Amino acid sequence: PVMMSSTHSRRMKYMFLGVLVLQTTSLVLIMRYSRTLTGDGSRYLTSSAVVSAEVIKIIICTLLVLMEKNFSVRAMNQLLTEEILSKPLETMKLAIPAGIYTLQNNLLYVALSNLDATTYQVTYQLKILTTALFSVSMLGKRLVSNQWLSLLLLLAGVTLVQWPTASVGDSEEKVLSASFQFVGLMAVLTACIFSGFAGVYFEKILKEAKQSLWVRNVQLGLFGFVFSTLGMMVYDGERVAQSGMFQGYNKITCTVVVLQALGGLVVALVMKYADNILKGFATSLSIIVSMLISYFLLGDFNPTGMFFSGAALVIAATFLYGYEHKPASGSAEKV
Ligand code: C5P
């Protein structure tokens, strides 16, 4: 394997992080919107949306493997057979993150069906901490002091950003009953733990053996597909039998599904070029981006000085964490 030049990989790192910020922002806003549309009660089944996203992911990743093999179908088949069927033990390892991601993906819909987008996003920031703790304990990653400091800055920044929204609030927020809030919060908190664990586990697999990222993702996607289909059968089996798995799908549903599938791919790229913790910072930036969108496009958000200081802290923390984070350091070297 050729070592990438550090400038090149640094550029890739920030590019994928930027893409992730945009993807997260649009996914959260559109997913929340899709769950609050008042319709004729024919809302789509979220368990089915998770399955659809897995299918799209598998298709895209297979195409990417095909591209890596210069569009030779035979070479692709050979590689996939070798990597997936002939190494059942290696393949089985991916069942763990796939199972957890399936639970997590379903939980996110529960969360966004019960919480407003901002509360959801801010609370989901706790995954940076769970991820850091899992990275330290499972990958043996060492964080230097400026990285710990940046985690603290990040939390402080997120709190400041959240402050005005919490007190001003939107009418929607006030209507939500406490029990919805509780269910939503529990869902996000559990998702934080799952996200941290699954992400670090996948990063470990990715960095341990030199295997194509896309082959890994096909493996992950296949398990994800099996688990999410099981989930759909268990929770919505009857409704699927009655009106089919695509009931209630509309253009917005399809957008959510595609964005989620693409998100999985960007997440994988970020894990490869950067790491899981840095990935979390991208989500923080996305909070700020969605607030700016609310301000400039929707006109329903009044940023205060508090917001601006918080935003500045979050951005500073992101660069502080990434700064001097040598591409060759960390997990890959440990094993
Ligand atoms: O919130 P978090 O960053 O943990 O979300 C990870 C998301 O990325 C999940 O939806 C998961 O299904 C997806 N993913 C993926 N492929 C990977 C890693 C994560 O599709 N290799």
Side-chain angles (χ1 to χ4, degrees):
V2 192
M3 272 301 277
M4 277 172 297
S5 83
S6 68
T7 337
H8 173 73
S9 70
R10 196 173 307 141
R11 204 173 293 150
M12 301 292 265
K13 177 163 100 175
Y14 285 110
M15 187 183 80
F16 292 129
L17 281 170
V19 176
L20 186 62
V21 172
L22 295 180
Q23 184 271 341
T24 310
T25 310
S26 38
L27 179 62
V28 169
L29 292 178
I30 300 175
M31 192 190 274
R32 170 69 183 157
Y33 177 64
S34 78
R35 300 307 293 156
T36 49
L37 278 179
T38 42
D40 45 6
S42 64
R43 273 192 184 180
Y44 66 95
L45 305 174
T46 55
S47 61
S48 142
V50 176
V51 177
S52 305
E54 290 297 347
V55 173
I56 295 179
K57 247 178 353 196
I58 295 173
I59 295 174
I60 300 178
C61 292
T62 313
L63 288 177
L64 288 167
V65 176
L66 187 62
M67 256 171 69
E68 281 180 343
K69 288 286 155 191
N70 296 319
F71 296 97
S72 153
V73 176
R74 179 182 301 183
M76 179 192 73
N77 281 342
Q78 194 183 347
L79 178 71
L80 290 181
T81 315
E82 246 168 47
E83 287 305 322
I84 299 175
L85 297 179
S86 317
K87 296 180 185 162
L89 276 183
E90 284 292 304
T91 300
M92 284 310 289
K93 276 190 192 166
L94 283 138
I96 297 170
I100 294 177
Y101 274 139
T102 304
L103 289 172
Q104 182 197 337
N105 288 336
N106 280 292
L107 278 174
L108 292 189
Y109 278 101
V110 174
L112 271 173
S113 305
N114 292 287
L115 293 175
D116 67 278
T118 310
T119 308
Y120 158 83
Q121 269 195 307
V122 173
T123 318
Y124 200 26
Q125 289 318 293
L126 279 177
K127 79 176 171 184
I128 301 182
L129 283 188
T130 56
T131 305
L133 295 178
F134 281 120
S135 296
V136 169
S137 58
M138 285 168 59
L139 291 174
K141 184 162 280 181
R142 286 213 199 94
L143 299 185
V144 291
S145 51
N146 70 5
Q147 290 174 320
W148 286 115
L149 178 66
S150 71
L151 285 173
L152 287 181
L153 282 184
L154 173 90
L155 283 184
V158 167
T159 315
L160 283 182
V161 164
Q162 166 64 357
W163 215 278
T165 332
S167 53
V168 174
D170 45 6
S171 51
E172 179 192 52
E173 203 171 354
K174 294 194 178 111
V175 174
L176 290 174
S177 76
S179 71
F180 280 139
Q181 286 269 359
F182 182 75
V183 171
L185 279 180
M186 282 298 131
V188 191
L189 292 179
T190 317
C192 284
I193 298 172
F194 285 171
S195 163
F197 180 78
V200 169
Y201 193 100
F202 187 77
E203 186 183 339
K204 190 174 159 75
I205 293 180
L206 208 59
K207 293 182 171 166
E208 249 172 24
K210 303 259 175 299
Q211 184 43 262
S212 151
L213 174 65
W214 306 123
V215 173
R216 289 291 181 226
N217 264 334
V218 171
Q219 291 172 302
L220 190 71
L222 288 173
F223 281 113
F225 173 70
V226 173
F227 290 135
S228 54
T229 307
L230 284 177
M232 182 175 70
M233 294 308 190
V234 172
Y235 286 103
D236 293 314
E238 255 172 54
R239 294 168 70 187
V240 171
Q242 257 169 19
S243 322
M245 89 175 252
F246 298 113
Q247 57 184 291
Y249 270 49
N250 55 20
K251 279 192 195 125
I252 298 168
T253 320
C254 297
T255 312
V256 170
V257 165
V258 170
L259 272 176
Q260 202 186 14
L262 290 179
L265 306 183
V266 186
V267 163
L269 284 167
V270 167
M271 284 183 194
K272 184 179 159 104
Y273 284 98
D275 66 34
N276 265 296
I277 306 179
L278 211 45
K279 173 169 78 61
F281 283 89
T283 339
S284 309
L285 289 180
S286 107
I287 298 182
I288 294 166
V289 177
S290 34
M291 288 187 163
L292 290 178
I293 290 179
S294 316
Y295 176 64
F296 286 110
L297 296 183
L298 312 174
D300 64 352
F301 171 65
N302 259 333
T304 59
M306 207 80 111
F307 171 82
F308 282 114
S309 348
L313 270 185
V314 170
I315 294 169
T318 306
F319 285 98
L320 180 62
Y321 184 88
Y323 182 70
E324 270 298 88
H325 183 74
K326 299 180 213 77
S329 74
S331 52
E333 302 294 282
K334 272 281 296 178
V335 197

